[in-house]
Amino acid sequence: MTKYLTTFLLALLAVAMPAHAKPRYDIVITGGTVYDGSGGEGKRADVAISGHRIVKVGKIAAKDGRQIIDAKGKAVAPGFINLLSWATESLLIDGRAMSDLKQGVTLEVFGEGWSMWPLNEPMRAEMIRSQTDLKFGVPWTSLGQYLEHVAAQGIAPNIASFVGATTVRIHELGEANRKPSPEELARMQELVRQGMREGALGVGSSLIYAPASYSDTEELIALAKAASPFGGRYISYMRSEGDNIEAAVDELIRIGREGGVGAEIYHLKFGGAENWGKYDAIIAKIEAARKAGQDVTTNMYTYTAGATGLDASMPPWVQEGGTLKWIERMKDPATRAKVIAEMRVAPKGWENLARLAASPERILLIDFGNPKLKHLTGKSLAEVAKMRGTAPEETMIDLVIEDGTRVGTAYFLMSEDNVRKQIKLPYMAFGSDSGALATEGVFLLSNAHPRAYGNVARMLGRYVRDEKLISLGEAVRRLTSLPATNLKLRERGKLARGYFADVVVFDAATVGDRATFDKPHQYAVGMSHVFVNGIQVLKDGEPTGKAAGRVVRGPGWTGWTKP
């Protein structure tokens, strides 16, 4: 009888035990200071995750989690959004996105002018022909297919994309310097609509480069109008960030207003010492538009040097038709002489970054495609010109011809004072303008701008902790909920119940960048744990190898479940 009574009492006790005696959540992050993305001060709280979602933020018993993350003495925040990413190709080679992962980036946003779709067969062939260090197949036939193809490779971060206005233009006009016909423009608009239906975030332009520079304002307004009914945004690397920046900002504001979309300046900067003093006037323009009710915002990277190619120092007319025709023209002595003459005087109707840098010593050569030129990586234009005994302009032309590419180049253009002032702007978000790289393998064949490894960490360490330009809570907001709201992303950018569990845990006392122009391939420090969609992709500062990344789609995606 005693045996049966004991069994009965044990069974009764099991039934009577509270449900929370067993783990209620998959993961509990406990003991940390939570910065939820709202911009406020951090608060001591715990975060519970089940499946792909955050299910509670508050006081949570550690025993309620199957996995416990001890965040004592550390900051806990939503995953960071890299608003201007060029990981379009690097993720096809290495899905870990190491340089960004170690900074807490959980979403890479593509599409600054060029996007990986639309493609026709000549464009597909050119994409394959122009590959240098990174080699990949091109099987996709739509933007949605490209994004799904990348995700299927197995990636750590989430990904999203704009439709590139340049890519749309090339699809219909090639690289010709002319206006589209009404029929061509209508097809360009329909390509934008197709991209929006597949989840694009809007339209991105990069007007400093050919053939994007051939587009007029009306063409860009038409593309913005095509994105507007889908909730799209217009983001632009403006026509000028130096001598003609006033007109460029006016154009961006007009495109946003007449196109019926929010407008954002890609990597706001003031290039060239003679333009540093324009800061107040330009910010006044932006804030006047905002005060009038227009949605105008900005993003930046936290460095005084930009990185692009030598094409940004040559007149657009010589680049018409694409890289091969550009190179062929420059082999002609008369054309070469004309190009050099135009490079040596104040440009009219285009932006010469070499002149804005003011000296060949301030132009760094960081990326060559031709193995025979790799030994020049990391040298200044002044050094290479001296080695060759040629003028800087001649050296640039020769290098493009010999390399068969635009030649990756860093230009030292900006003022540190302006960088500091920009960081304080409440509508400023952040983007690396770089790929997501690694300190190994094929990525070491070229140098990188250190922003690839340090853009976020530099802000959190140097400008937030050390210089105290803004609070940590405000910095987290600008890296999370601000861009998520601007892009109209669903359930991303905050630590809140029901949101996707993109979460980072970092040491605010040690977070910082290590990459330099001399030694760019160095990871940031201070990031402890990263979760993407509830899956841990960084543990104790090292990648787990888990492929947690998904495609994040814009508000116009036709696959949304209707309420």
Side-chain angles (χ1 to χ4, degrees):
M1 181 68 180
T2 304
K3 175 181 176 183
Y4 292 113
L5 180 60
T6 302
T7 302
F8 173 75
L9 290 173
L10 287 172
L12 187 63
L13 181 64
V15 171
M17 284 179 68
H20 64 262
K22 294 182 179 180
R24 300 172 60 187
Y25 311 114
D26 292 335
I27 300 161
V28 171
I29 302 171
T30 184
T33 301
V34 170
Y35 298 86
D36 63 6
S38 65
E41 293 182 4
K43 297 180 180 179
R44 165 66 182 85
D46 310 307
V47 178
I49 298 169
S50 286
H52 300 304
R53 303 275 183 167
I54 296 167
V55 291
K56 186 177 180 181
V57 179
K59 188 173 178 56
I60 304 166
K63 61 184 174 61
D64 282 348
R66 293 183 179 87
Q67 179 185 355
I68 310 301
I69 301 294
D70 183 2
K72 185 177 180 181
K74 295 180 180 178
V76 182
F80 302 143
I81 296 174
N82 183 354
L83 194 51
L84 200 183
S85 171
W86 281 107
T88 44
E89 299 179 1
S90 60
L91 280 173
L92 290 169
I93 308 303
D94 185 346
R96 298 174 300 169
M98 288 292 289
S99 62
D100 270 349
L101 179 63
K102 282 181 170 280
Q103 298 182 79
V105 171
T106 60
L107 173 60
E108 309 275 359
V109 179
F110 311 143
E112 184 208 10
W114 279 268
S115 54
M116 301 300 274
W117 178 90
L119 291 178
N120 53 34
E121 286 312 308
M123 293 170 73
R124 188 186 310 277
E126 176 60 17
M127 184 177 287
I128 294 170
R129 184 206 68 78
S130 62
Q131 292 173 11
T132 54
D133 295 339
L134 306 184
K135 309 288 187 185
F136 53 90
V138 188
W140 57 87
T141 58
S142 71
L143 183 63
Q145 282 185 11
Y146 162 73
L147 294 169
E148 293 291 353
H149 175 72
V150 176
Q153 305 300 298
I155 56 175
N158 297 312
I159 55 174
S161 184
F162 284 79
V163 177
T166 309
T167 312
V168 167
R169 174 175 244 273
I170 294 172
H171 189 275
E172 294 302 317
L173 279 73
E175 301 201 31
N177 184 1
R178 64 175 177 84
K179 294 182 67 168
S181 68
E183 294 76 19
E184 288 168 333
L185 185 58
R187 291 198 297 269
M188 291 165 68
Q189 289 182 299
E190 184 52 37
L191 288 169
V192 171
R193 294 186 191 101
Q194 180 180 340
M196 297 301 297
R197 287 190 289 265
E198 294 181 2
L201 305 174
V203 178
S205 69
S206 49
L207 304 176
I208 193 172
Y209 305 111
S213 57
Y214 307 149
S215 303
D216 62 20
T217 308
E218 285 69 27
E219 176 184 321
L220 297 166
I221 290 171
L223 298 185
K225 284 182 176 179
S228 178
F230 300 91
R233 193 169 191 80
Y234 174 73
I235 292 191
S236 181
Y237 183 178
M238 300 183 301
R239 218 173 284 273
S240 172
E241 293 176 315
D243 296 345
N244 299 300
I245 188 170
E246 300 93 335
V249 172
D250 287 341
E251 180 184 42
L252 175 127
I253 292 171
R254 180 187 166 198
I255 291 167
R257 183 178 64 250
E258 296 186 22
V261 295
E264 181 154 334
I265 298 173
Y266 267 132
H267 46 61
L268 177 67
K269 66 177 76 75
F270 299 83
E274 64 272 29
N275 297 307
W276 294 349
K278 296 179 179 180
Y279 178 90
D280 289 341
I282 294 303
I283 299 307
K285 277 182 182 290
I286 294 168
E287 295 187 351
R290 289 173 56 82
K291 188 175 180 180
Q294 191 171 344
D295 177 5
V296 182
T297 53
T298 59
N299 64 65
M300 67 180 290
Y301 45 81
T302 53
Y303 295 83
T304 58
T308 177
L310 291 178
D311 54 333
S313 295
M314 299 185 197
W317 62 263
V318 77
Q319 301 174 50
E320 183 177 0
T323 302
L324 296 180
K325 290 186 178 180
W326 170 30
I327 289 172
E328 193 59 35
R329 286 192 190 98
M330 293 195 301
K331 292 178 181 178
D332 172 65
T335 302
R336 179 188 180 99
K338 182 180 179 183
V339 170
I340 290 172
E342 291 191 19
M343 292 170 71
R344 288 176 174 169
V345 299
K348 295 181 179 180
W350 62 287
E351 191 126 294
N352 184 342
L353 295 196
R355 283 184 60 83
L356 293 178
S359 167
E361 283 81 13
R362 293 172 58 81
I363 300 172
L364 197 64
L365 304 170
I366 60 176
D367 187 3
F368 292 94
N370 184 346
K372 294 180 180 179
L373 296 178
K374 292 284 189 184
H375 67 285
L376 300 177
T377 302
K379 296 185 182 299
S380 71
L381 177 62
E383 290 176 289
V384 177
K386 183 176 180 181
M387 289 167 56
R388 293 180 166 219
T390 53
E393 297 84 2
E394 294 174 334
T395 304
M396 285 190 274
I397 290 173
D398 290 339
L399 289 175
V400 168
I401 292 171
E402 294 169 32
D403 200 55
T405 76
R406 61 204 288 257
V407 180
T409 311
Y411 297 89
F412 291 81
L413 303 168
M414 282 77 76
S415 154
E416 181 66 32
D417 286 343
N418 281 347
V419 168
R420 291 189 177 100
K421 287 190 287 187
Q422 289 175 208
I423 286 172
K424 295 179 181 180
L425 296 171
Y427 45 84
M428 179 68 74
F430 298 88
S432 70
D433 197 9
S434 183
L437 314 179
T439 60
E440 59 191 82
V442 69
F443 299 110
L444 299 182
L445 295 177
S446 297
N447 274 4
H449 190 302
R451 65 193 181 191
Y453 288 88
N455 189 55
V456 171
R458 181 179 179 85
M459 187 187 68
L460 295 176
R462 176 173 181 172
Y463 295 114
V464 175
R465 180 190 61 238
D466 299 342
E467 299 191 13
K468 297 179 173 54
L469 297 183
I470 56 175
S471 70
L472 181 54
E474 174 64 4
V476 168
R477 182 185 74 85
R478 307 262 219 82
L479 288 162
T480 58
S481 66
L482 174 66
T485 300
N486 289 341
L487 298 176
K488 301 178 183 175
L489 302 183
R490 291 192 176 191
E491 299 160 346
R492 304 273 179 185
K494 289 185 180 180
L495 295 184
R497 186 174 181 273
Y499 274 56
F500 285 97
D502 300 335
V503 187
V504 298
V505 180
F506 63 97
D507 187 343
T510 63
V511 67
D513 62 310
R514 293 292 180 268
T516 66
F517 283 97
D518 291 334
K519 295 181 179 180
H521 292 289
Q522 298 188 78
Y523 292 125
V525 297
M527 191 61 53
S528 302
H529 308 288
V530 177
F531 295 84
V532 175
N533 300 311
I535 298 172
Q536 191 164 17
V537 293
L538 192 77
K539 181 178 182 180
D540 297 321
E542 295 301 324
T544 65
K546 297 290 181 64
R550 295 179 173 184
V551 178
V552 174
R553 295 177 173 87
W557 183 46
T558 55
W560 293 118
T561 302
K562 298 227 180 355

